[in-house]
Amino acid sequence: MKLSEISASNLDLIIIDASLDDGRRRFVTPDERRLLQRKPNGQRRIVLGYLCVGEADVKRWYWPPQWREQVPDWVGPENPKWPGSRYVRYWDDRWQSMVFRAPDSILDRILDIGFDGVLIDRADAYLDWEKERPTAQQDMIDLIAELAAKARGRDPGFILLPQNAELLLTRQRYLDLIDAHNKESLLTGLKGEGIENDRRDVVWSLGYLRKAQAAGIKMLATEYLADMEAIASARKHLTSLGFLPFFGHRQLDRLPLEEC
């Protein structure tokens, strides 16, 4: 998808990877970021960079070639749902250096481009390690806190938008760090594309999401739906809950139906 097509949409929020072409090391430029921040009617919109903190994609630009065959000891098994992505012991200094600590980290690339903030993915990676690491939840909050301090040291208004990881919403320190929260597949998708989730799963997530919402956290929701009737129904439901809904394709490789 071309940046010009995204810029020409009426989306109020855009989340994009800083890298447009890993092989050529082609990144979004500050000029392109400024273009994305303006809607066709001239209004300002928010543009966030994508930042995965709990999983590594060994095919990506940031991953050293020598580690593709012989991965370091802090790298775990492959995620069966995403070939090429591997679980990581995210509390390890070497991973954190790559993500946000080092001067040439992924976060620094995002900051240099001038994004308004980041969407934080895989904050729920603590679920991968709780048996091995009793402090897994606290380790994730520590990571996000240090990441936030670095980013807001350069840009005090830098936005942190994590998704999923509902259990972290019970921690006041975590709530104090984030600006909003996105929940993927709250209503549909756990059993397959377009299939409604069990009511118990919805109620479980809502128990955490509503408490965070009551504490002042703005709630977003992403559903991966293609049927316009299903989208209309989900929109009505999510809006009634006070969530800002977004409906997209699972691969996020094209504009949502409503923008096509």
Side-chain angles (χ1 to χ4, degrees), residues 137-148:
Q137 282 193 34
Q138 187 59 51
D139 292 332
M140 180 56 72
I141 295 173
D142 290 344
L143 183 158
I144 293 172
E146 191 174 342
L147 182 158

Side-chain angles (χ1 to χ4, degrees), residues 100-117:
F100 69 91
R101 283 185 179 172
D104 58 348
S105 69
I106 304 169
L107 177 64
D108 279 270
R109 178 75 64 172
I110 289 169
L111 288 166
D112 290 343
I113 293 168
F115 286 106
D116 294 305

Side-chain angles (χ1 to χ4, degrees), residues 150-203:
K150 176 173 180 175
R152 289 170 178 159
R154 285 183 56 176
D155 177 3
F158 197 79
I159 296 169
L160 294 187
L161 171 63
Q163 62 183 10
N164 307 323
E166 289 95 319
L167 291 177
L168 296 185
L169 295 171
T170 64
R171 306 288 192 93
Q172 187 60 48
R173 183 178 176 222
Y174 181 70
L175 293 179
D176 290 342
L177 291 169
I178 67 177
D179 297 284
H181 179 274
N182 180 56
K183 173 59 185 170
E184 289 183 296
S185 303
L186 173 63
L187 303 179
T188 69
L190 296 181
K191 291 185 175 180
E193 209 72 23
I195 300 174
E196 290 188 5
N197 295 340
D198 287 342
R199 185 175 181 277
R200 288 173 299 178
D201 292 323
V202 177
V203 169

Side-chain angles (χ1 to χ4, degrees), residues 15-235:
I15 298 165
I16 190 169
D17 198 297
S19 173
L20 301 176
D21 186 327
D22 285 1
R24 294 167 52 206
R25 294 187 71 82
R26 161 81 166 92
F27 298 93
V28 176
T29 67
D31 284 343
E32 289 169 332
R33 179 264 303 163
R34 282 188 283 270
L35 179 67
L36 291 171
Q37 286 174 326
R38 290 294 167 190
K39 299 174 69 172
N41 64 5
Q43 291 181 344
R44 177 73 155 81
R45 67 175 152 213
I46 296 171
V47 180
L48 305 181
Y50 174 83
L51 183 61
C52 185
V53 298
E55 193 167 302
D57 188 336
V58 301
K59 307 183 301 299
R60 298 304 310 278
W61 64 272
Y62 58 79
W63 195 254
Q66 65 269 24
W67 285 358
R68 288 181 180 145
E69 296 298 326
Q70 187 66 40
V71 297
D73 56 9
W74 48 268
V75 177
E78 186 172 75
N79 182 340
K81 296 181 180 179
W82 296 99
S85 292
R86 300 183 68 123
Y87 304 128
V88 294
R89 293 173 174 83
Y90 51 83
W91 55 90
D92 191 281
D93 288 342
R94 291 162 291 183
W95 169 247
Q96 294 192 4
S97 291
M98 187 181 297
V99 173
F100 69 91
R101 283 185 179 172
D104 58 348
S105 69
I106 304 169
L107 177 64
D108 279 270
R109 178 75 64 172
I110 289 169
L111 288 166
D112 290 343
I113 293 168
F115 286 106
D116 294 305
V118 287
L119 176 124
I120 298 176
D121 200 11
R122 287 309 325 271
D124 58 357
Y126 60 83
L127 294 168
D128 304 332
W129 302 102
E130 284 184 316
K131 290 183 179 179
E132 172 184 317
R133 183 86 171 179
T135 59
Q137 282 193 34
Q138 187 59 51
D139 292 332
M140 180 56 72
I141 295 173
D142 290 344
L143 183 158
I144 293 172
E146 191 174 342
L147 182 158
K150 176 173 180 175
R152 289 170 178 159
R154 285 183 56 176
D155 177 3
F158 197 79
I159 296 169
L160 294 187
L161 171 63
Q163 62 183 10
N164 307 323
E166 289 95 319
L167 291 177
L168 296 185
L169 295 171
T170 64
R171 306 288 192 93
Q172 187 60 48
R173 183 178 176 222
Y174 181 70
L175 293 179
D176 290 342
L177 291 169
I178 67 177
D179 297 284
H181 179 274
N182 180 56
K183 173 59 185 170
E184 289 183 296
S185 303
L186 173 63
L187 303 179
T188 69
L190 296 181
K191 291 185 175 180
E193 209 72 23
I195 300 174
E196 290 188 5
N197 295 340
D198 287 342
R199 185 175 181 277
R200 288 173 299 178
D201 292 323
V202 177
V203 169
W204 182 90
S205 289
L206 280 176
Y208 296 100
L209 300 173
R210 296 304 294 271
K211 288 179 181 178
Q213 189 178 37
I217 301 299
K218 185 179 291 293
M219 285 292 158
L220 286 69
T222 298
E223 296 287 340
Y224 301 106
L225 293 169
D227 180 79
M228 296 305 293
E229 287 188 14
I231 288 174
S233 176
R235 181 186 301 284

